[in-house]
Coordinates of all heavy atoms in Angstrom, one line a residue:
Chain A
I12 N -130.5 29.9 -111.4 CA -129.4 28.9 -111.3 C -129.8 27.8 -110.3 O -129.6 26.6 -110.6 CB -128.1 29.6 -111.0 CG1 -127.7 30.5 -112.1 CG2 -127.0 28.6 -110.6 CD1 -126.5 31.4 -111.8
C13 N -130.3 28.2 -109.1 CA -130.7 27.2 -108.1 C -131.8 26.4 -108.6 O -131.8 25.1 -108.5 CB -131.2 28.0 -106.9 SG -129.9 28.9 -106.1
V14 N -132.9 27.0 -109.2 CA -134.0 26.2 -109.7 C -133.6 25.2 -110.8 O -134.0 24.1 -110.8 CB -135.1 27.2 -110.2 CG1 -136.2 26.4 -110.9 CG2 -135.7 28.0 -109.1
C15 N -132.7 25.7 -111.6 CA -132.2 24.8 -112.7 C -131.5 23.6 -112.1 O -131.8 22.4 -112.5 CB -131.2 25.6 -113.5 SG -130.5 24.6 -114.9
T16 N -130.7 23.8 -111.1 CA -130.0 22.7 -110.5 C -131.0 21.6 -109.9 O -130.8 20.4 -110.1 CB -129.1 23.2 -109.3 OG1 -128.3 24.3 -109.8 CG2 -128.1 22.1 -108.8
F17 N -131.9 22.2 -109.2 CA -132.9 21.2 -108.6 C -133.8 20.6 -109.6 O -134.1 19.4 -109.5 CB -133.7 22.0 -107.5 CG -133.0 22.3 -106.3 CD1 -132.8 23.5 -105.8 CD2 -132.3 21.2 -105.6 CE1 -132.1 23.8 -104.6 CE2 -131.6 21.5 -104.4 CZ -131.5 22.8 -104.0
C18 N -134.2 21.3 -110.6 CA -135.0 20.7 -111.7 C -134.3 19.6 -112.4 O -134.9 18.5 -112.6 CB -135.4 21.8 -112.7 SG -136.8 22.8 -112.1
K19 N -133.1 19.8 -112.7 CA -132.3 18.8 -113.4 C -132.1 17.5 -112.6 O -132.0 16.4 -113.1 CB -130.9 19.3 -113.8 CG -131.0 20.3 -115.0 CD -129.8 20.0 -115.9 CE -129.6 21.0 -117.0 NZ -130.7 21.1 -117.9
A20 N -132.1 17.7 -111.2 CA -131.9 16.6 -110.3 C -133.2 16.0 -109.9 O -133.3 15.1 -109.0 CB -131.1 17.0 -109.1
N21 N -134.3 16.4 -110.6 CA -135.6 15.9 -110.2 C -136.0 16.2 -108.8 O -136.7 15.4 -108.1 CB -135.8 14.4 -110.5 CG -137.2 13.9 -110.4 OD1 -138.1 14.7 -110.3 ND2 -137.3 12.6 -110.3
R22 N -135.5 17.3 -108.2 CA -135.9 17.7 -106.9 C -136.9 18.8 -107.0 O -136.6 20.0 -106.7 CB -134.7 18.1 -106.1 CG -133.5 17.1 -106.1 CD -133.8 15.9 -105.3 NE -134.1 16.3 -103.9 CZ -133.2 16.2 -102.9 NH1 -132.0 15.8 -103.2 NH2 -133.5 16.5 -101.7
L23 N -138.1 18.5 -107.5 CA -139.1 19.5 -107.8 C -139.6 20.2 -106.6 O -139.8 21.4 -106.6 CB -140.2 18.9 -108.6 CG -139.8 18.4 -110.0 CD1 -141.0 17.8 -110.7 CD2 -139.2 19.5 -110.8
E24 N -139.7 19.5 -105.5 CA -140.2 20.1 -104.3 C -139.2 21.1 -103.8 O -139.6 22.2 -103.3 CB -140.6 19.1 -103.2 CG -139.5 18.3 -102.5 CD -138.7 17.4 -103.4 OE1 -139.1 17.0 -104.5 OE2 -137.5 17.2 -103.1
K25 N -137.9 20.8 -103.9 CA -136.9 21.8 -103.5 C -137.0 23.0 -104.4 O -136.8 24.2 -103.9 CB -135.5 21.1 -103.7 CG -135.1 20.3 -102.5 CD -134.4 21.3 -101.5 CE -133.8 20.5 -100.4 NZ -133.4 21.4 -99.3
A26 N -137.1 22.8 -105.7 CA -137.2 23.9 -106.7 C -138.4 24.8 -106.3 O -138.2 26.1 -106.2 CB -137.4 23.4 -108.1
E27 N -139.5 24.2 -106.0 CA -140.7 25.0 -105.6 C -140.5 25.8 -104.3 O -140.9 26.9 -104.2 CB -141.9 24.1 -105.5 CG -142.4 23.4 -106.7 CD -143.2 24.3 -107.6 OE1 -143.3 25.5 -107.4 OE2 -143.9 23.8 -108.6
A28 N -139.8 25.1 -103.4 CA -139.5 25.8 -102.1 C -138.7 27.0 -102.3 O -138.9 28.0 -101.6 CB -138.9 24.8 -101.1
I29 N -137.7 26.9 -103.1 CA -136.8 28.0 -103.4 C -137.5 29.2 -104.0 O -137.3 30.3 -103.7 CB -135.6 27.5 -104.2 CG1 -134.6 26.8 -103.3 CG2 -135.0 28.7 -105.0 CD1 -133.2 27.0 -103.7
I30 N -138.5 28.8 -104.9 CA -139.2 29.9 -105.5 C -140.1 30.6 -104.5 O -140.1 31.9 -104.5 CB -140.1 29.3 -106.6 CG1 -139.3 28.8 -107.8 CG2 -141.1 30.3 -107.2 CD1 -140.0 28.0 -108.9
I31 N -140.7 29.9 -103.6 CA -141.5 30.5 -102.5 C -140.6 31.4 -101.6 O -140.9 32.5 -101.3 CB -142.2 29.4 -101.7 CG1 -143.2 28.7 -102.6 CG2 -142.8 30.0 -100.4 CD1 -143.9 27.5 -102.0
D32 N -139.4 30.8 -101.3 CA -138.5 31.6 -100.5 C -138.1 32.9 -101.2 O -138.1 34.0 -100.5 CB -137.2 30.8 -100.2 CG -137.4 29.8 -99.1 OD1 -138.4 29.9 -98.4 OD2 -136.5 28.9 -99.0
G33 N -137.9 32.8 -102.5 CA -137.5 34.0 -103.3 C -138.6 35.0 -103.2 O -138.3 36.2 -103.0
I34 N -139.8 34.6 -103.5 CA -141.0 35.5 -103.5 C -141.0 36.2 -102.1 O -141.2 37.4 -102.1 CB -142.3 34.8 -103.8 CG1 -142.2 34.3 -105.2 CG2 -143.5 35.7 -103.6 CD1 -143.4 33.4 -105.6
R35 N -140.8 35.5 -101.1 CA -140.9 36.1 -99.7 C -139.8 37.2 -99.6 O -140.0 38.1 -98.9 CB -140.6 34.9 -98.7 CG -141.5 35.1 -97.4 CD -141.3 34.0 -96.5 NE -142.2 32.9 -96.8 CZ -141.8 31.6 -96.7 NH1 -140.7 31.3 -96.2 NH2 -142.7 30.6 -97.0
L36 N -138.7 36.9 -100.2 CA -137.6 37.9 -100.1 C -137.7 39.0 -101.2 O -136.8 39.9 -101.4 CB -136.2 37.3 -100.3 CG -135.8 36.3 -99.2 CD1 -134.6 35.5 -99.5 CD2 -135.6 37.1 -97.9
G37 N -138.8 38.9 -102.0 CA -139.0 39.9 -103.0 C -138.3 39.6 -104.4 O -138.2 40.5 -105.2
V38 N -137.7 38.4 -104.5 CA -137.1 38.0 -105.8 C -138.2 37.2 -106.6 O -138.6 36.1 -106.2 CB -135.9 37.1 -105.6 CG1 -135.3 36.7 -106.9 CG2 -134.9 37.8 -104.7
L39 N -138.7 37.8 -107.7 CA -139.8 37.2 -108.4 C -139.3 36.3 -109.5 O -138.3 36.6 -110.2 CB -140.7 38.3 -109.0 CG -141.4 39.2 -107.9 CD1 -142.2 40.3 -108.6 CD2 -142.2 38.3 -107.0
P40 N -139.9 35.2 -109.6 CA -139.6 34.3 -110.7 C -139.9 34.9 -112.1 O -140.9 35.7 -112.1 CB -140.4 33.0 -110.5 CG -141.5 33.5 -109.6 CD -141.0 34.6 -108.8
D41 N -139.1 34.6 -113.1 CA -139.4 35.2 -114.4 C -139.8 34.1 -115.4 O -140.0 32.9 -115.0 CB -138.3 36.1 -114.9 CG -137.0 35.2 -115.2 OD1 -137.1 34.0 -114.9 OD2 -136.0 35.8 -115.6
V42 N -139.9 34.4 -116.7 CA -140.3 33.5 -117.6 C -139.3 32.3 -117.7 O -139.8 31.1 -117.9 CB -140.5 34.1 -119.0 CG1 -139.2 34.7 -119.6 CG2 -141.1 33.2 -120.0
V43 N -138.1 32.5 -117.5 CA -137.1 31.4 -117.5 C -137.3 30.4 -116.4 O -137.3 29.2 -116.6 CB -135.6 32.0 -117.5 CG1 -134.6 30.9 -117.4 CG2 -135.4 32.9 -118.6
T44 N -137.6 31.0 -115.2 CA -137.9 30.1 -114.1 C -139.1 29.2 -114.4 O -139.0 27.9 -114.2 CB -138.4 31.0 -112.9 OG1 -137.7 32.2 -112.8 CG2 -138.2 30.2 -111.6
Y45 N -140.2 29.7 -114.9 CA -141.3 28.9 -115.3 C -141.0 27.9 -116.4 O -141.4 26.8 -116.4 CB -142.5 29.8 -115.6 CG -143.1 30.4 -114.4 CD1 -143.0 31.8 -114.1 CD2 -143.9 29.6 -113.5 CE1 -143.5 32.3 -112.9 CE2 -144.5 30.2 -112.4 CZ -144.3 31.5 -112.1 OH -144.9 32.1 -111.0
N46 N -140.2 28.4 -117.4 CA -139.9 27.5 -118.5 C -139.1 26.3 -118.0 O -139.4 25.1 -118.4 CB -139.0 28.2 -119.5 CG -139.8 29.2 -120.3 OD1 -141.0 29.2 -120.3 ND2 -139.1 30.1 -121.0
M47 N -138.2 26.5 -117.0 CA -137.5 25.4 -116.4 C -138.4 24.4 -115.7 O -138.3 23.2 -115.8 CB -136.4 25.9 -115.5 CG -135.2 26.5 -116.3 SD -133.8 26.9 -115.3 CE -134.5 28.1 -114.2
L48 N -139.4 25.0 -115.0 CA -140.3 24.2 -114.2 C -141.2 23.4 -115.2 O -141.4 22.2 -115.0 CB -141.3 25.1 -113.4 CG -140.8 25.5 -112.0 CD1 -141.9 26.4 -111.4 CD2 -140.5 24.3 -111.2
I49 N -141.6 24.0 -116.3 CA -142.4 23.3 -117.3 C -141.6 22.1 -117.8 O -142.1 21.0 -117.9 CB -142.8 24.2 -118.4 CG1 -143.9 25.2 -117.9 CG2 -143.3 23.5 -119.7 CD1 -144.3 26.2 -119.0
D50 N -140.4 22.3 -118.2 CA -139.6 21.3 -118.7 C -139.4 20.1 -117.7 O -139.6 18.9 -118.0 CB -138.2 21.8 -119.1 CG -137.4 20.8 -119.8 OD1 -137.8 20.3 -120.8 OD2 -136.3 20.4 -119.3
A51 N -139.2 20.5 -116.4 CA -139.0 19.5 -115.4 C -140.2 18.7 -115.1 O -140.2 17.5 -115.0 CB -138.4 20.1 -114.1
Y52 N -141.4 19.4 -115.0 CA -142.6 18.7 -114.8 C -143.0 17.8 -115.9 O -143.5 16.7 -115.7 CB -143.8 19.7 -114.5 CG -143.8 20.1 -113.0 CD1 -143.3 21.3 -112.6 CD2 -144.5 19.3 -112.1 CE1 -143.3 21.6 -111.3 CE2 -144.5 19.6 -110.8 CZ -144.0 20.8 -110.4 OH -144.0 21.2 -109.0
C53 N -142.8 18.3 -117.2 CA -143.0 17.4 -118.3 C -142.2 16.2 -118.3 O -142.6 15.1 -118.6 CB -142.8 18.2 -119.6 SG -144.1 19.3 -120.1
Q54 N -140.9 16.4 -117.8 CA -140.0 15.2 -117.9 C -140.2 14.3 -116.8 O -140.2 13.0 -117.0 CB -138.6 15.8 -117.8 CG -137.6 15.1 -118.6 CD -136.2 15.6 -118.6 OE1 -135.3 15.0 -118.3 NE2 -136.1 16.9 -118.8
F55 N -140.5 14.8 -115.5 CA -140.5 13.9 -114.4 C -141.8 13.5 -113.9 O -142.0 12.6 -113.2 CB -139.6 14.5 -113.3 CG -138.2 14.7 -113.6 CD1 -137.6 15.9 -113.6 CD2 -137.4 13.6 -113.9 CE1 -136.3 16.1 -113.9 CE2 -136.1 13.7 -114.3 CZ -135.5 15.0 -114.3
V56 N -142.8 14.4 -114.2 CA -144.2 14.0 -113.7 C -145.1 13.7 -114.9 O -145.3 12.5 -115.2 CB -144.8 15.2 -112.9 CG1 -146.1 14.8 -112.4 CG2 -143.8 15.7 -111.8
S57 N -145.6 14.6 -115.7 CA -146.4 14.3 -116.8 C -146.5 15.6 -117.7 O -146.3 16.7 -117.2 CB -147.8 13.8 -116.4 OG -148.5 14.9 -115.8
F58 N -147.0 15.4 -118.9 CA -147.2 16.5 -119.7 C -148.3 17.4 -119.1 O -148.1 18.7 -119.1 CB -147.7 16.1 -121.1 CG -148.1 17.2 -122.0 CD1 -147.2 18.1 -122.5 CD2 -149.5 17.4 -122.2 CE1 -147.7 19.2 -123.2 CE2 -149.9 18.5 -122.9 CZ -149.0 19.4 -123.5
D59 N -149.3 16.8 -118.6 CA -150.4 17.7 -118.0 C -149.9 18.5 -116.9 O -150.2 19.7 -116.7 CB -151.5 16.8 -117.5 CG -152.3 16.2 -118.6 OD1 -152.3 16.8 -119.7 OD2 -152.9 15.1 -118.5
A60 N -149.0 17.9 -116.0 CA -148.4 18.7 -114.9 C -147.6 19.9 -115.5 O -147.7 21.0 -114.9 CB -147.5 17.8 -114.1
G61 N -146.9 19.7 -116.6 CA -146.2 20.8 -117.2 C -147.1 21.9 -117.7 O -146.9 23.0 -117.5
Y62 N -148.2 21.4 -118.3 CA -149.1 22.3 -118.9 C -149.8 23.2 -117.8 O -150.1 24.3 -118.1 CB -150.2 21.6 -119.7 CG -150.9 22.5 -120.7 CD1 -150.4 22.8 -121.9 CD2 -152.2 23.0 -120.3 CE1 -151.1 23.7 -122.8 CE2 -152.9 23.9 -121.2 CZ -152.3 24.2 -122.4 OH -153.0 25.0 -123.2
T63 N -150.0 22.6 -116.6 CA -150.6 23.4 -115.5 C -149.8 24.6 -115.2 O -150.3 25.6 -114.8 CB -150.8 22.5 -114.3 OG1 -151.0 21.2 -114.7 CG2 -151.9 22.9 -113.4
I64 N -148.4 24.4 -115.3 CA -147.5 25.5 -115.0 C -147.8 26.7 -115.9 O -147.7 27.9 -115.4 CB -146.1 25.1 -115.1 CG1 -145.8 23.8 -114.4 CG2 -145.1 26.2 -114.7 CD1 -145.8 24.0 -112.9
L65 N -148.2 26.4 -117.1 CA -148.6 27.5 -118.0 C -149.6 28.4 -117.4 O -149.5 29.7 -117.4 CB -149.0 26.9 -119.3 CG -149.3 27.9 -120.5 CD1 -148.1 28.6 -120.9 CD2 -149.9 27.2 -121.7
N66 N -150.7 27.8 -116.8 CA -151.7 28.6 -116.2 C -151.2 29.4 -115.0 O -151.5 30.5 -114.7 CB -152.9 27.7 -115.7 CG -153.5 27.1 -116.9 OD1 -153.6 27.7 -118.0 ND2 -154.0 25.9 -116.8
R67 N -150.3 28.7 -114.2 CA -149.7 29.3 -113.0 C -148.9 30.5 -113.4 O -149.0 31.5 -112.7 CB -148.8 28.3 -112.3 CG -149.2 28.0 -110.9 CD -148.3 27.0 -110.3 NE -147.0 27.4 -109.9 CZ -146.0 26.6 -109.5 NH1 -146.2 25.3 -109.6 NH2 -144.9 27.1 -109.1
M68 N -148.2 30.5 -114.5 CA -147.4 31.6 -114.9 C -148.3 32.8 -115.4 O -148.0 33.9 -115.1 CB -146.2 31.3 -115.8 CG -146.6 30.9 -117.2 SD -145.2 30.2 -118.1 CE -144.2 31.6 -118.5
R69 N -149.3 32.4 -116.0 CA -150.3 33.5 -116.5 C -150.9 34.2 -115.3 O -151.0 35.4 -115.3 CB -151.4 32.8 -117.3 CG -150.9 32.5 -118.7 CD -152.1 32.5 -119.7 NE -151.6 32.1 -121.0 CZ -151.8 31.0 -121.6 NH1 -152.5 30.0 -121.0 NH2 -151.3 30.7 -122.8
E70 N -151.2 33.4 -114.3 CA -151.8 33.9 -113.0 C -150.8 34.9 -112.4 O -151.2 35.9 -111.8 CB -152.2 32.8 -112.1 CG -153.6 32.3 -112.3 CD -153.8 31.0 -111.6 OE1 -153.2 30.7 -110.5 OE2 -154.6 30.2 -112.1
A71 N -149.5 34.5 -112.5 CA -148.5 35.4 -111.9 C -148.2 36.6 -112.8 O -147.3 37.4 -112.5 CB -147.2 34.6 -111.7
G72 N -148.9 36.7 -113.9 CA -148.7 37.9 -114.7 C -147.6 37.8 -115.7 O -147.1 38.8 -116.2
I73 N -147.1 36.6 -115.9 CA -145.9 36.4 -116.9 C -146.4 35.8 -118.1 O -147.1 34.7 -118.1 CB -144.8 35.6 -116.2 CG1 -144.3 36.4 -115.0 CG2 -143.8 35.2 -117.2 CD1 -143.3 35.6 -114.2
S74 N -146.1 36.4 -119.3 CA -146.5 35.8 -120.6 C -145.6 34.7 -121.0 O -144.4 34.9 -120.9 CB -146.6 36.9 -121.6 OG -147.1 38.1 -121.1
P75 N -146.1 33.7 -121.5 CA -145.2 32.6 -122.1 C -144.5 33.1 -123.3 O -145.0 34.0 -124.0 CB -146.2 31.5 -122.5 CG -147.6 32.2 -122.6 CD -147.5 33.3 -121.6
D76 N -143.3 32.6 -123.5 CA -142.6 33.0 -124.7 C -142.3 31.8 -125.6 O -142.9 30.7 -125.4 CB -141.3 33.7 -124.4 CG -140.3 32.8 -123.6 OD1 -140.6 31.6 -123.5 OD2 -139.2 33.2 -123.2
V77 N -141.5 31.9 -126.6 CA -141.3 30.8 -127.5 C -140.7 29.6 -126.9 O -141.1 28.5 -127.2 CB -140.5 31.3 -128.8 CG1 -139.1 31.8 -128.3 CG2 -140.4 30.3 -129.8
V78 N -139.8 29.8 -125.9 CA -139.2 28.7 -125.2 C -140.3 27.9 -124.4 O -140.2 26.7 -124.3 CB -138.0 29.2 -124.3 CG1 -137.4 28.0 -123.6 CG2 -137.0 29.9 -125.1
T79 N -141.2 28.7 -123.8 CA -142.3 28.0 -123.0 C -143.0 27.0 -123.9 O -143.1 25.8 -123.5 CB -143.3 29.1 -122.6 OG1 -142.7 30.2 -122.1 CG2 -144.2 28.5 -121.6
Y80 N -143.4 27.5 -125.1 CA -144.1 26.6 -126.0 C -143.2 25.5 -126.5 O -143.6 24.3 -126.6 CB -144.7 27.4 -127.1 CG -146.1 27.9 -126.7 CD1 -146.2 29.2 -126.2 CD2 -147.2 27.1 -126.7 CE1 -147.4 29.7 -125.8 CE2 -148.4 27.6 -126.2 CZ -148.5 28.9 -125.8 OH -149.7 29.3 -125.3
N81 N -141.9 25.8 -126.8 CA -141.0 24.8 -127.3 C -140.9 23.7 -126.2 O -140.8 22.5 -126.5 CB -139.7 25.4 -127.6 CG -139.7 26.2 -128.9 OD1 -140.7 26.2 -129.6 ND2 -138.7 27.0 -129.1
S82 N -140.8 24.1 -125.0 CA -140.6 23.1 -123.9 C -141.9 22.2 -123.8 O -141.8 21.0 -123.6 CB -140.4 23.8 -122.6 OG -139.2 24.5 -122.6
L83 N -143.0 22.8 -124.0 CA -144.3 22.1 -123.9 C -144.4 21.1 -125.1 O -144.8 20.0 -125.0 CB -145.5 23.0 -123.9 CG -145.8 23.7 -122.5 CD1 -146.8 24.8 -122.7 CD2 -146.3 22.6 -121.5
I84 N -143.9 21.6 -126.3 CA -143.9 20.7 -127.5 C -143.0 19.5 -127.2 O -143.3 18.4 -127.5 CB -143.5 21.5 -128.7 CG1 -144.6 22.5 -129.1 CG2 -143.3 20.6 -129.9 CD1 -144.3 23.4 -130.2
A85 N -141.8 19.8 -126.6 CA -140.9 18.8 -126.3 C -141.5 17.8 -125.3 O -141.3 16.6 -125.4 CB -139.6 19.3 -125.8
G86 N -142.2 18.4 -124.3 CA -142.9 17.5 -123.3 C -143.9 16.6 -123.9 O -144.0 15.5 -123.6
A87 N -144.7 17.2 -124.8 CA -145.7 16.4 -125.5 C -145.1 15.3 -126.3 O -145.5 14.2 -126.4 CB -146.6 17.3 -126.4
T88 N -143.9 15.7 -126.9 CA -143.2 14.7 -127.7 C -142.8 13.5 -126.9 O -142.9 12.4 -127.3 CB -141.9 15.4 -128.3 OG1 -142.3 16.4 -129.1 CG2 -141.0 14.4 -129.0
R89 N -142.2 13.8 -125.7 CA -141.8 12.7 -124.9 C -142.9 11.7 -124.6 O -142.7 10.6 -124.3 CB -141.2 13.3 -123.6 CG -139.7 13.6 -123.7 CD -139.2 13.9 -122.3 NE -138.3 15.0 -122.4 CZ -138.5 16.3 -122.1 NH1 -139.6 16.6 -121.6 NH2 -137.6 17.2 -122.3
N90 N -144.1 12.3 -124.5 CA -145.2 11.4 -124.2 C -146.0 11.0 -125.5 O -147.1 10.5 -125.5 CB -146.2 12.1 -123.3 CG -145.6 12.4 -122.0 OD1 -145.5 11.5 -121.2 ND2 -145.2 13.6 -121.7
S91 N -145.3 11.1 -126.6 CA -145.8 10.7 -127.9 C -147.2 11.3 -128.3 O -148.0 10.7 -128.9 CB -145.9 9.2 -128.0 OG -144.6 8.6 -127.8
L92 N -147.4 12.5 -127.8 CA -148.6 13.2 -128.1 C -148.5 14.1 -129.3 O -148.4 15.3 -129.1 CB -149.1 14.0 -126.9 CG -149.2 13.2 -125.6 CD1 -149.3 14.2 -124.4 CD2 -150.4 12.3 -125.6
L93 N -148.5 13.5 -130.5 CA -148.2 14.3 -131.7 C -149.3 15.4 -131.9 O -149.0 16.6 -132.2 CB -148.2 13.4 -132.9 CG -148.0 14.1 -134.3 CD1 -146.7 14.9 -134.3 CD2 -148.0 13.1 -135.4
S94 N -150.6 15.0 -131.8 CA -151.6 16.0 -132.1 C -151.5 17.2 -131.1 O -151.8 18.3 -131.4 CB -153.0 15.3 -132.0 OG -153.2 14.9 -130.7
C95 N -151.1 16.8 -129.9 CA -150.9 17.8 -128.8 C -149.8 18.8 -129.3 O -149.9 20.0 -129.1 CB -150.5 17.1 -127.5 SG -150.9 18.0 -126.1

Side-chain angles (χ1 to χ4, degrees):
Chain A
I12 291 170
C13 296
V14 171
C15 181
T16 311
F17 287 123
C18 278
K19 283 221 189 300
N21 187 18
R22 308 288 300 262
L23 294 182
E24 70 300 331
K25 274 274 186 192
E27 293 280 14
I29 279 216
I30 292 172
I31 292 170
D32 282 348
I34 293 171
R35 216 175 277 145
L36 294 168
V38 181
L39 296 178
D41 64 359
V42 63
V43 177
T44 325
Y45 284 105
N46 288 347
M47 289 188 296
L48 275 182
I49 286 177
D50 187 58
Y52 273 97
C53 281
Q54 216 178 127
F55 298 118
V56 185
S57 68
F58 169 75
D59 288 332
Y62 196 82
T63 328
I64 308 289
L65 185 64
N66 295 327
R67 235 175 81 191
M68 69 192 282
R69 285 206 179 105
E70 273 164 29
I73 291 170
S74 320
D76 65 3
V77 62
V78 181
T79 316
Y80 276 97
N81 290 348
S82 298
L83 283 168
I84 291 175
T88 296
R89 269 188 221 106
N90 294 287
S91 300
L92 304 165
L93 177 60
S94 61
C95 204

